[in-house]
Amino acid sequence: MAARKFDNWEPITESDSTIQAALEDASIPSLMVALVHLTGDESIMRGDIRPRSRLLADPQAGVTEEQQAVVRAQAFEILKAYRDGGCQLPPAPNLDQIAEMMNFIIGEPLLEAYAEFLVGELSLHGEDPFGQPGMEQIPQKKKDAFHVLVIGAGMSGILAAHRLKEAGIPCTVIEKNADVGGTWLENTYPGCRVDSPNHTYSYSFVPKNWPQFFSSQKVLLEYFDQCASDFGIRDNIRFNTEVERAEFDEQSQTWNVRIRNADGTIQILNANAIIGAVGQLNRPRRPDIEGRDAFSGPSFHTAQWEHEHDLTGKRIGVIGTGASAFQSVPEIAKQAREVVVFQRTPPWVRPQPIYHDYVSDGKHWLLNHVPYYAKWFRFFMFWRSGEGMLEASKKDPAWPHQTRSVSEYNDRIRANFTKYITSIVGDDPELLQKCIPDYPPGGKRILVDNGTWLKTLRRDNVHLITDPIAKITEAGLVTESGETYEFDVIIYATGFYPSRILWPMEIRGLGGLDLQTHWDGDPHAYKGVSIPQFPNFFCMYGPNTNIVVNTSIIFFSECEMRYILGCIKLLLETDQASMDCKQDVHDTYNEWIDEGNANMAWGAPTVKSWYKNEKGRVTQNWPFTLLKFWQQTKGPDPSDYIFRSRKP
Ligand code: N01
């Protein structure tokens, strides 16, 4: 992996024909704003050629072919002049100009607050959008005396260790697996890949020449593996080691953490703070179906794939139709004699023609050579796959068809998705009926498809069964209608235990309070990070920090880590030993979150999903904009916390 900062673009030395060829592959909206950087000429974004909002499915956002040709010709002249002039840039744009560029690329006026966010993202003046300014002023001696224990070396844990190291804070990472990567290490099922665009699903400060727009598990694992090496944090990680218990010691205001080493020995570590970076989708769930253990053949969960079983020519039963089944079934079907998929609820499917496509050479060249193009392309993706989609999931209380959709906009999305599904399976009315969900789009995770899933369901060797499973037998499955199915292998694509955040670890806070008992299946936290009565325990990807409509969970981790660093900085600056979130602050925050979630498609009472706990509360999701989370997590407000010092 060539890890480079976005602003380290390569000088242009290539021939005219290379430039021209690359421009054929340009994202025109991203290119146009990059041209403003290159020339300082605002007229480029003040003419008739402009991206249009809400055209989220069109990669050129409504810029016509003819208009694209005009922009390419203009870009060719500008890039040649830039090359021939020694690759010099005019002065950086000011805040007003950035705001205009941002509104231009989105196609509608955005909140002014986005400009500040973007200035950081663009790093025009070397800003670190997720950094914690002022950390460098704290004496190293103080930092050396503050030890942080990070649980997990997946995407969030690697980030946490890196940021702590950068800040000069000592840390130890405890990882249950033999290597880094978390979810990308554990999930090795065939077809596993990211379904958020990779140019946003990456650390903001470690771009990569992603081979595909949505890369495979192998490529993602390589990325995180390389990051861990490049960050120099491997020596901080204790592999094959599990945290069993963590107990807050009120005397010293520190945490005592019991770990089980690879050789089974037990050790107690002491830490000033803990960062729980274990993810929400970490503990595989096999549902309690009658006779579950009776099956005589191999059976395994998608997140614990048993590669030793050759599926060629086999009869396979797959339970579930969430994202894991969606990606693995098409691959299994290529090998197996027969695949029977048991569906309880159909997923909404969103067309994404480039889902399996490779990034062309021209696109790579533009990303690497044209100043700020990669940054704007990232923002363009960020908007189109995330922020811009939020509106479509928002409930309009006046909308009369709340069961099928939550607003007029949401209904239009429903119609589009229905049209797409119909275009592939429409000539099979029985299959079509099984594939159209009866709940609003966004109620559950929308799966991105380039036709692979729906075409797989049409294969002669694939059958989609909606008759509920009654029991598992020695030979296979029996459904409620009494139909029997015999299999060689049963695969559980049945998800995880998201509401049991941090389970099965025993975490004990003030007065020995046990976290899982305290939460009772209903995890809450302040900003997803702090839990009252659990001082100096910080979560990453904690309660209500999951996102439903796409974009990148890495963005959230970067926000959370910035906030956590801010907390540590505050403790060190004030010479306090611990900070404990105030209960009323936490409660008011969570009321706001619950209200927000009730207004979203995934909060609709008719929808059941892993976003809700058994009581029906949305425990996992963040209901507002990404910008709002970015603003919320800039740093802690000291008045939100109770500070305590070490007891004499
Ligand atoms: O799990 P899920 P997943 N009988 O919980 C069904 C992320 N992810 O592993 O919908 C029959 O979504 C259940 O049915 P229902 C992503 O965030 C990302 O697929 O509850 N069926 C459902 O169909 C995703 O959302 C990627 O009615 C039973 C399925 O099992 C999250 O992980 C790839 C059942 C479980 O679906 C989880 O996805 C993979 C029963 N008793 C995962 N119990 C990327 O692309 C459960 N089901 C990045």
Side-chain angles (χ1 to χ4, degrees):
M1 182 191 68
R4 288 184 291 111
K5 281 189 108 42
F6 275 143
D7 50 357
N8 280 348
W9 44 78
E10 292 163 20
I12 299 181
T13 53
E14 287 77 3
S15 66
D16 290 4
S17 59
T18 303
I19 299 175
Q20 253 167 334
L23 287 170
E24 286 305 313
D25 294 343
S27 151
I28 296 296
S30 314
L31 180 65
M32 290 177 80
V33 270
L35 294 180
V36 179
H37 283 280
L38 275 161
T39 58
D41 179 2
E42 294 155 324
S43 71
I44 292 168
M45 53 179 177
R46 290 182 182 163
D48 294 337
I49 306 178
R50 44 182 52 244
R52 281 158 49 208
S53 68
R54 303 279 159 103
L55 289 176
L56 297 176
D58 176 2
Q60 301 293 17
V63 179
T64 65
E65 297 271 344
E66 266 174 36
Q67 291 174 328
Q68 291 175 35
V70 172
V71 175
R72 286 193 184 99
Q74 187 184 21
F76 178 54
E77 295 305 324
I78 292 171
L79 289 175
K80 268 196 312 180
Y82 169 72
R83 176 194 64 191
D84 299 341
C87 299
Q88 300 296 319
L89 282 174
N94 61 34
L95 206 61
D96 289 343
Q97 287 164 320
I98 294 286
E100 187 177 346
M101 290 155 101
M102 186 178 69
N103 293 342
F104 170 81
I105 198 168
I106 296 311
E108 61 186 305
L110 272 184
L111 290 175
E112 232 173 68
Y114 277 94
E116 190 205 348
F117 163 72
L118 246 186
V119 167
E121 270 273 310
L122 292 171
S123 194
L124 289 174
H125 309 288
E127 300 89 335
D128 177 356
F130 300 102
Q132 197 50 259
M135 197 60 144
E136 62 288 349
Q137 279 147 28
I138 295 172
Q140 188 57 45
K141 213 171 137 200
K142 273 194 187 182
K143 292 180 186 171
D144 287 342
F146 195 92
H147 192 102
V148 180
L149 187 132
V150 179
I151 312 174
M155 175 275 287
S156 297
I158 292 171
L159 173 73
H162 167 61
R163 286 297 197 180
L164 289 166
K165 187 179 162 109
E166 206 177 47
I169 312 275
C171 82
T172 302
V173 184
I174 305 297
E175 169 55 58
K176 70 174 166 31
N177 293 324
D179 210 337
V180 299
T183 201
W184 297 111
L185 178 75
E186 291 177 11
N187 284 269
T188 59
Y189 60 79
C192 182
R193 69 173 62 238
V194 68
D195 65 0
S196 305
N198 254 146
H199 293 90
T200 58
Y201 190 87
S202 39
Y203 297 126
S204 62
F205 53 98
V206 190
K208 175 180 163 72
N209 285 323
W210 293 105
Q212 292 182 277
F213 297 99
F214 301 86
S215 296
S216 65
Q217 171 263 341
K218 188 170 164 284
V219 172
L220 284 151
L221 183 58
E222 276 166 17
Y223 174 79
F224 290 112
D225 196 51
Q226 187 69 50
C227 284
S229 298
D230 291 348
F231 298 162
I233 55 159
R234 281 190 180 276
D235 288 347
N236 296 65
I237 309 173
R238 293 178 63 162
F239 292 107
N240 296 310
T241 305
E242 271 202 67
V243 171
E244 290 190 337
R245 182 185 157 103
E247 189 166 16
F248 191 69
D249 174 32
E250 293 178 42
Q251 187 73 33
S252 63
Q253 299 287 315
T254 60
W255 285 90
N256 289 323
V257 184
R258 188 172 80 187
I259 58 166
R260 179 177 291 274
N261 292 310
D263 61 5
T265 55
I266 301 290
Q267 209 181 339
I268 307 291
L269 303 182
N270 182 260
N272 298 79
I274 294 181
I275 298 178
V278 294
Q280 293 189 356
L281 304 166
N282 185 252
R283 302 284 172 177
R285 175 180 163 272
R286 283 193 192 206
D288 250 341
I289 301 171
E290 185 191 328
R292 196 182 65 186
D293 301 324
F295 183 62
S296 60
S299 68
F300 50 86
H301 190 278
T302 44
Q304 294 163 327
W305 198 268
E306 295 181 5
H307 290 275
E308 65 270 30
H309 306 297
D310 181 5
L311 303 184
T312 313
K314 299 275 165 51
R315 298 163 305 167
I316 318 284
V318 178
I319 305 176
T321 50
S324 301
F326 192 81
Q327 293 183 329
S328 56
V329 168
E331 295 304 312
I332 301 166
K334 288 179 196 162
Q335 291 174 274
R337 167 147 51 111
E338 188 177 44
V339 185
V340 183
V341 182
F342 293 88
Q343 172 179 280
R344 198 161 61 177
T345 319
W348 273 112
V349 177
R350 176 161 81 91
Q352 176 48 279
I354 62 168
Y355 187 37
H356 289 170
D357 286 3
Y358 282 82
V359 177
S360 66
D361 289 347
K363 271 214 160 61
H364 278 302
W365 188 89
L366 293 163
L367 290 164
N368 291 333
H369 290 81
V370 177
Y372 295 106
Y373 175 85
K375 294 261 191 190
W376 283 103
F377 183 66
R378 180 178 154 90
F379 179 71
F380 193 48
M381 288 288 149
F382 172 89
W383 180 262
R384 298 168 73 75
S385 64
E387 214 71 322
M389 294 286 289
L390 193 72
E391 213 43 45
S393 306
K394 214 172 259 172
K395 183 171 158 177
D396 171 4
W399 177 246
H401 311 290
Q402 291 288 336
T403 311
R404 69 166 200 234
S405 51
V406 290
S407 68
E408 197 265 328
Y409 187 6
N410 189 254
D411 206 51
R412 259 189 289 138
I413 299 278
R414 180 187 182 92
N416 280 341
F417 291 177
T418 303
K419 195 168 149 203
Y420 170 69
I421 298 167
T422 309
S423 72
I424 301 182
V425 299
D427 59 352
D428 182 341
E430 197 190 327
L431 182 59
L432 177 66
Q433 200 221 344
K434 289 177 179 175
C435 289
I436 310 263
D438 60 4
Y439 59 86
K444 291 159 101 80
R445 176 132 173 132
I446 297 170
L447 304 179
V448 292
D449 188 35
N450 56 355
T452 307
W453 167 252
L454 293 167
K455 284 180 191 155
T456 298
L457 295 181
R458 293 185 58 118
R459 288 175 68 118
D460 290 342
N461 69 335
V462 176
H463 313 284
L464 185 66
I465 306 299
T466 50
D467 190 12
I469 299 166
K471 63 176 176 181
I472 294 180
T473 62
E474 196 183 338
L477 284 175
V478 180
T479 57
E480 281 184 6
S481 68
E483 199 74 38
T484 59
Y485 297 87
E486 293 194 355
F487 297 119
D488 300 308
V489 179
I490 294 179
I491 296 169
Y492 288 86
T494 45
F496 303 85
Y497 288 102
S499 287
R500 297 190 190 175
I501 294 176
L502 294 160
W503 175 82
M505 290 178 285
E506 185 184 336
I507 315 280
R508 291 193 177 269
L510 295 181
L513 185 66
D514 174 61
L515 183 62
Q516 294 302 331
T517 312
H518 176 60
W519 271 345
D520 190 21
D522 192 11
H524 288 73
Y526 180 54
K527 305 194 186 223
V529 173
S530 304
I531 312 153
Q533 305 189 70
F534 293 81
N536 289 9
F537 191 102
F538 305 108
C539 297
M540 293 181 81
Y541 200 11
N544 294 108
T545 57
N546 182 59
I547 36 178
V548 180
V549 285
N550 280 354
T551 208
S552 163
I553 200 64
I554 299 182
F555 172 83
F556 270 64
S557 290
E558 290 202 53
C559 289
E560 288 147 13
M561 194 53 213
R562 175 180 58 171
Y563 184 82
I564 295 168
L565 271 184
C567 291
I568 295 172
K569 185 175 136 224
L570 194 56
L571 286 169
L572 296 177
E573 276 171 348
T574 55
D575 289 319
Q576 296 288 344
S578 76
M579 56 196 291
D580 181 11
C581 181
K582 290 179 182 165
Q583 190 68 48
D584 59 332
V585 169
H586 164 276
D587 294 351
T588 307
Y589 172 85
N590 278 285
E591 278 164 26
W592 176 63
I593 290 285
D594 288 348
E595 247 171 61
N597 275 322
N599 286 324
M600 302 308 290
W602 53 82
T606 48
V607 182
K608 272 182 87 178
S609 74
W610 68 261
Y611 304 141
K612 292 179 178 173
N613 64 4
E614 281 171 11
K615 295 163 191 156
R617 178 178 167 264
V618 178
T619 46
Q620 312 305 125
N621 297 341
W622 169 255
F624 306 113
T625 60
L626 305 174
L627 175 72
K628 182 77 89 200
F629 196 70
W630 187 82
Q631 290 170 327
Q632 285 272 321
T633 49
K634 272 184 170 174
D637 177 346
S639 68
D640 290 345
Y641 288 88
I642 302 158
F643 291 86
R644 297 189 185 93
S645 48
R646 208 173 283 267
K647 289 188 182 159

